């Protein structure tokens, strides 16, 4: 169950505002499993109310049609926006002030695709139809507007792509 997986990785447990904002998203996304409008519409209405409460109290806005993987961590809530067309892989972590959204007004559905195990620093912006590869790191306040390869680090405004250094084996003297 994703609830217990999310709870297990939430550093503050049940007190984590990011955890509750994520659960509101997961509840809203649940309605897509039902084809009957008699079930889907009431769930949608309830989700709309809960989503607005999550925005007000948690400072997190997650589009209900976004695709978010397992064990997603919102480490610090506040000023977080995830576009409804965004895709985020498993075991990713984001921090306060992160925007994952579209870049152009004439491309309202153009949202990022983020791989697995991606670490996104505070204040980072990932904009447009970009892909962030598995195990990448996005630095604090970076503005990512082009693809980030797997295992790379993106820093700066606009973000520059740096390759991760391979760990070196320590030699004993």
């Amino acid at each position: 169950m994703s609830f217990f997986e999310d709870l297990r990785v939430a550093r503050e447990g049940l007190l984590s505002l990011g955890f509750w904002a994520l659960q509101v998203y997961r509840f809203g996304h649940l309605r897509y499993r039902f084809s009957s409008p008699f079930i889907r519409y009431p769930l949608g209405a309830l989700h709309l109310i809960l989503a607005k409460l999550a925005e007000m109290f948690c400072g997190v806005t997650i589009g209900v049609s976004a695709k978010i993987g397992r064990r997603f961590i919102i480490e610090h809530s506040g000023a977080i926006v995830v576009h409804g067309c965004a895709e985020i892989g498993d075991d990713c972590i984001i921090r306060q002030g992160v925007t994952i959204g579209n870049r152009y007004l004439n491309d309202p559905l153009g949202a990022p695709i983020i791989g697995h195990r991606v670490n996104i620093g505070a204040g980072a912006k990932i904009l447009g139809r970009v892909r962030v590869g598995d195990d990448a790191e996005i630095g604090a306040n970076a503005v990512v507007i082009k693809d980030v390869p797997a295992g790379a680090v993106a820093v700066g405004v606009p973000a520059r792509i740096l390759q991760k250094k391979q760990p070196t084996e320590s030699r004993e003297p």
Side-chain angles (χ1 to χ4, degrees):
M1 289 188 135
S2 61
F3 177 86
F4 293 108
E5 280 186 326
D6 293 337
L7 182 59
R8 185 173 45 85
V9 297
R11 288 183 170 83
E12 296 174 27
L14 290 172
L15 298 177
S16 171
L17 295 177
F19 167 77
W20 288 110
L22 181 60
Q23 295 317 301
V24 167
Y25 154 79
R26 294 208 192 278
F27 172 77
H29 200 72
L30 172 76
R31 76 178 183 195
Y32 292 120
R33 294 183 184 174
F34 301 100
S35 58
S36 170
F38 295 109
I39 297 172
R40 198 171 181 159
Y41 291 152
L43 286 177
L46 181 56
H47 172 260
L48 181 62
I49 294 166
L50 292 173
K52 289 300 172 187
L53 290 171
E55 285 180 34
M56 289 187 288
F57 293 114
C58 303
V60 178
T61 302
I62 303 174
V64 69
S65 56
K67 294 178 183 163
I68 297 179
R70 298 167 58 188
R71 297 176 300 276
F72 180 63
I73 299 172
I74 300 173
E75 188 165 87
H76 303 289
S77 63
I80 294 173
V81 178
V82 177
H83 191 281
C85 294
E87 295 180 27
I88 302 173
D90 297 339
D91 301 306
C92 291
I93 183 170
I94 64 174
R95 292 168 181 83
Q96 72 276 7
V98 169
T99 299
I100 300 171
N102 67 326
R103 183 172 175 198
Y104 299 110
L105 288 175
N106 61 355
D107 186 18
L109 303 179
I113 297 174
I114 298 172
H116 303 296
R117 299 171 304 281
V118 175
N119 184 354
I120 303 173
K125 312 296 181 234
I126 305 173
L127 306 172
R129 294 182 185 270
V130 298
R131 289 184 177 269
V132 178
D134 295 347
D135 301 301
E137 294 188 24
I138 309 299
N141 296 314
V143 178
V144 176
I145 54 175
K146 62 182 180 178
D147 291 352
V148 178
V153 177
V155 295
V157 179
R160 298 182 330 272
I161 308 301
L162 309 174
Q163 293 299 322
K164 271 189 179 178
K165 295 180 183 177
Q166 297 297 325
T168 56
E169 294 181 28
S170 62
R171 296 183 190 170
E172 294 185 28

